[in-house]
């Protein structure tokens, strides 16, 4: 007899086929394990008693055996990825039973719930190379950081990389508008404001709007203008576990939530218009970021005046130059028509994105979708 229950977030057919196997006849323990699987974004297969189908026992990425069934599992073939799950913290015999069934780990609930959720999520998602995560921030207001963040994400997706764009600026109006997808179905930041601990990466990805071959986590037009630092930490960590590329549009106000995002970045891009006043403002921002980010580079945006090229501006800022970005003709008209930044493959934004990812993914890894 088998059965399963779905989690609150959407789960793909791949997750249903690759979920953990639960073996127990204890209804209370089963309810606990189903709840933990839902928290990990996994849809399990449930078997009551000894597994009747060898295929399920052998193919499941993780097998959770209830302590109530341990004595009957001696005839089952030993395999990797078996966890014995019990509730009696005072029963020393649980370790002996774990050895008898070939389980390398024992999880005693409720104390072991957090560990078991992580174990389930790792088994379902796999533990591969984390996403190359790049943050973009403006040296002053209106520098064009959101435009560049969108163009980088569009360029990475066009190159065939799994891409997630995260809107970290609650006062920016929402990147879904810039991508022409404010009416697209899917969750926005307010739905994740209460996130704590571990968020399942697959469930996060599938819950977000898909626009221009990338997944977007944006703000909506509600009164929610902030999420707790714990939510940013959990959501960004989940996005990174999916691999590929993650681009974060950062606010210029460095609060605790922004610090959580900065701590998970592999590199940061500071967008600086080629103006003396913008350079002065960017110097203050760079000083703050330098305390939190090991790899910070400047993107100098045109038009360029005499003596204010990229090399001179980065010398004044004390930062390496990631590249110069000329103005893009027709950008405003393209945005009004619903075409995202970087959609013109011959334009400066698309060329900058292609060159940036060509260098960054070669140097830092990164996995195609």
């Amino acid at each position: 007899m088998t059965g399963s229950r779905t989690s609150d977030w959407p789960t793909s057919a791949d997750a249903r086929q690759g979920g953990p196997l639960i073996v127990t006849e204890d209804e209370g323990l089963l309810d606990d394990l189903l709840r933990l699987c839902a928290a990990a974004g996994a849809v399990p297969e449930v078997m009551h008693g000894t597994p009747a189908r060898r295929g399920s026992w052998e193919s499941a990425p993780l097998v959770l055996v209830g302590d109530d069934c341990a004595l009957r599992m001696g005839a089952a073939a030993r395999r990797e990825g078996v966890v014995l799950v019990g509730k009696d913290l005072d029963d020393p015999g649980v370790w002996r039973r774990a050895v008898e069934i070939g389980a390398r780990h024992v999880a005693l609930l409720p104390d072991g719930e957090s560990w078991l959720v992580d174990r389930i999520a790792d088994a379902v998602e796999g533990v591969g190379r984390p996403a190359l995560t790049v943050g973009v921030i403006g040296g002053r207001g209106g520098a064009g950081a959101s435009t560049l963040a969108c163009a980088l994400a569009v360029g990475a997706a066009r190159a065939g990389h799994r891409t997630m764009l995260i809107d970290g600026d609650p006062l920016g109006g929402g990147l879904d508008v810039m991508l022409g997808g404010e009416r697209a179905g899917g969750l926005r930041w307010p739905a994740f404001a209460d996130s704590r601990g571990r968020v399942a990466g697959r469930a996060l990805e599938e819950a977000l709007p898909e626009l221009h071959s990338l997944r977007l986590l944006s703000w909506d037009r509600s009164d929610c203008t902030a999420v707790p630092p714990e939510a940013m930490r959990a959501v960004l960590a989940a996005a990174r576990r999916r691999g590929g590329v993650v681009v974060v549009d950062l606010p210029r106000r460095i609060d605790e939530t922004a610090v959580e995002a900065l701590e998970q970045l592999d590199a940061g891009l500071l967008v600086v218009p080629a103006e003396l006043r913008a350079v002065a403002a960017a110097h203050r921002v760079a000083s703050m970021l330098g305390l939190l980010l090991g790899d910070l580079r400047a993107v100098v945006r045109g038009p360029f005046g005499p003596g204010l090229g990229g090399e001179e501006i980065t010398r004044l800022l004390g930062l390496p130059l990631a590249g110069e970005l000329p103005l893009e003709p027709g950008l405003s008209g393209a945005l009004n028509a619903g075409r995202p930044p970087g959609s013109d493959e011959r334009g400066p934004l698309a060329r900058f994105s292609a060159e940036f990812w060509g260098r960054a993914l070669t140097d830092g890894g990164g996995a195609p979708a």
Side-chain angles (χ1 to χ4, degrees):
M1 178 177 176
T2 62
S4 64
R5 303 177 192 176
T6 58
S7 61
D8 293 335
W9 284 348
T11 306
S12 68
D14 289 341
R16 293 187 182 95
Q17 294 169 1
L21 174 65
I22 297 175
V23 182
T24 184
E25 293 182 344
D26 184 330
E27 290 297 326
L29 180 60
L30 176 59
D31 285 341
D32 286 337
L33 292 177
L34 289 174
R35 172 175 54 82
L36 298 180
C37 285
V43 179
E45 180 178 2
V46 178
M47 290 187 175
H48 297 273
T50 304
R53 298 199 305 272
R54 302 296 302 169
S56 298
W57 174 267
E58 295 165 353
S59 64
L62 183 70
V63 179
L64 307 177
V65 178
D67 194 27
D68 61 297
C69 292
L71 294 178
R72 283 177 285 167
M73 298 297 295
R78 296 195 174 202
R79 50 151 290 174
E80 294 292 325
V82 176
V83 178
L84 182 63
V85 186
K87 288 187 172 183
D88 189 350
L89 302 178
D90 298 321
D91 180 11
V94 67
W95 305 101
R96 174 180 51 79
R97 292 189 290 277
V99 172
E100 290 174 352
I101 67 171
R104 294 200 174 187
H105 299 282
V106 173
L108 297 176
L109 307 183
D111 292 3
E113 287 191 356
S114 178
W115 177 88
L116 191 54
V117 168
D118 286 349
R119 182 79 177 180
I120 295 168
D122 286 342
V124 173
E125 296 178 9
V127 185
R129 185 193 298 271
L132 179 62
T133 307
V134 176
V136 186
I137 187 170
R140 66 158 170 79
S146 296
T147 300
L148 180 57
C150 289
L152 286 171
V154 168
R158 183 166 50 229
H161 299 283
R162 171 181 279 120
T163 304
M164 190 175 296
L165 174 59
I166 295 181
D167 187 352
D169 186 358
L171 302 180
L175 293 186
D176 55 352
V177 176
M178 185 168 286
L179 293 178
E182 60 268 28
R183 293 184 177 87
L187 300 183
R188 268 66 171 180
W189 262 120
F192 300 96
D194 294 329
S195 297
R196 300 291 188 276
R198 178 167 181 142
V199 173
R202 183 191 297 272
L204 169 68
E205 184 178 48
E206 294 181 351
L208 299 180
E210 183 174 6
L211 301 167
H212 311 288
S213 300
L214 61 90
R215 296 287 181 166
L216 170 66
L217 177 53
S218 178
W219 296 89
D220 59 11
R221 265 52 66 188
S222 70
D223 293 334
C224 179
T225 57
V227 296
E230 297 83 2
M232 175 62 76
R233 182 191 313 133
V235 167
L236 188 50
R240 298 188 74 233
R241 286 197 304 273
R242 293 299 288 161
V245 166
V246 174
V247 180
V248 185
D249 182 28
L250 294 163
R252 294 183 66 246
R253 182 187 64 185
I254 308 300
D255 57 13
E256 292 184 2
T257 300
V259 169
E260 288 292 347
L262 287 165
E263 289 181 345
Q264 297 196 52
L265 298 182
D266 295 305
L269 297 178
L270 180 65
V271 183
V272 186
E275 307 164 359
L276 284 177
R277 187 177 178 188
V279 173
H283 195 280
R284 296 189 181 94
V285 178
S287 298
M288 291 188 295
L289 296 179
L291 301 175
L292 301 165
L293 191 58
D295 186 353
L296 178 64
R297 313 175 194 187
V299 177
V300 180
R301 183 175 66 80
F304 304 97
L308 281 179
E311 296 290 347
E312 176 62 15
I313 288 177
T314 52
R315 185 189 67 80
L316 293 172
L317 292 174
L319 295 175
L321 177 64
E324 296 181 346
L325 186 60
L327 288 179
E328 177 137 353
L331 178 60
S332 296
L335 294 177
N336 291 334
R339 297 192 299 274
S343 56
D344 180 1
E345 296 186 35
R346 296 174 295 179
L349 284 166
R351 293 200 305 270
F352 178 92
S353 298
E355 293 171 3
F356 176 81
W357 293 124
R359 295 192 305 268
L361 293 174
T362 299
D363 295 340

